[in-house]
Amino acid sequence: MLRANRKYAAIRDISHYGAVVPRQLGELEDAVMTRVWQWNRPVTVREVLEDLQQERSIAYTTVMTVMDNLHQKGWVRREVDGRAYRYTAVSTRAAYAAALMNEAWSQSDNRAAALVAFFGMMSPEEREALRDAVRMVQEPEPERDREAEQGSEEGDAPGAEAGR
């Protein structure tokens, strides 16, 4: 049951961007977002700065500006914590990657050919992961199944729950 809940949470999360396709992140934006996604908790500019400084020389104000820009663009939300902000990702890297793939795919004049070419670039492991993903989105959600079963057992009309 826990696995199913995680599975459906991931599917719902991927739809976060909906019809709005995010602009691809710049190199520094991606470096910052990678940390926010990996840590999966509210982070401060100082924490991100200290981690980035292990790879490059970078100023506090630069990281602060990037994180403020990410907030303005809707990538992160922030809340005040003392005299600083704590930033949290609005969605996951998987949702971002899915939106970028969807945007690239939609640019093709022959979507089937684009998919065949893309699948041809995949390793056997990636193709197996793709098969698993297709199975996940084709299976009905357990909650919907249970609601449908309960409705038919109780003699309720579909959607009767909404009127209660």
Side-chain angles (χ1 to χ4, degrees):
M1 184 64 159
L2 180 61
R3 181 176 166 222
N5 287 340
R6 272 194 303 238
K7 173 176 79 172
Y8 293 113
I11 291 168
R12 283 189 299 275
D13 183 60
I14 287 171
S15 66
H16 164 78
Y17 293 106
V20 178
V21 177
R23 177 186 61 79
Q24 187 168 359
L25 293 169
E27 187 261 332
L28 187 52
E29 289 174 328
D30 187 69
V32 169
M33 283 305 301
T34 294
R35 282 147 180 87
V36 175
W37 282 320
Q38 285 176 343
W39 295 340
N40 196 27
R41 61 173 173 77
V43 300
T44 64
V45 171
R46 176 75 52 203
E47 291 173 310
V48 174
L49 170 72
E50 289 172 358
D51 200 59
L52 284 171
Q53 284 179 329
Q54 295 177 26
E55 300 171 1
R56 63 178 88 191
S57 177
I58 191 166
Y60 180 92
T61 53
T62 301
V63 177
M64 183 176 64
T65 299
V66 169
M67 293 185 82
D68 184 60
N69 289 343
L70 290 167
H71 175 256
Q72 298 298 323
K73 293 175 182 179
W75 288 98
V76 294
R77 67 178 64 87
R78 68 184 180 194
E79 55 188 53
V80 176
D81 183 13
R83 293 178 35 188
Y85 287 112
R86 288 203 173 268
Y87 294 84
T88 308
V90 169
S91 194
T92 64
R93 182 177 282 280
Y96 166 63
L100 291 177
M101 287 188 287
N102 188 54
E103 173 65 13
W105 183 53
S106 70
Q107 299 300 313
S108 175
D109 58 350
N110 185 341
R111 290 181 174 192
L115 285 174
V116 169
F118 180 62
F119 299 156
M121 294 178 207
M122 294 177 148
S123 69
E125 294 81 16
E126 290 168 330
R127 282 193 295 275
E128 184 58 34
L130 176 65
R131 282 191 275 289
D132 290 345
V134 168
R135 279 191 292 272
M136 276 192 248
V137 297
Q138 289 177 338
E139 292 176 9
E141 288 192 41
E143 294 84 26
R144 279 195 220 141
D145 289 347
R146 259 187 268 125
E147 288 173 8
E149 288 172 12
Q150 288 173 348
S152 64
E153 288 172 7
E154 297 169 8
D156 288 344
E161 194 73 23
R164 292 184 186 157

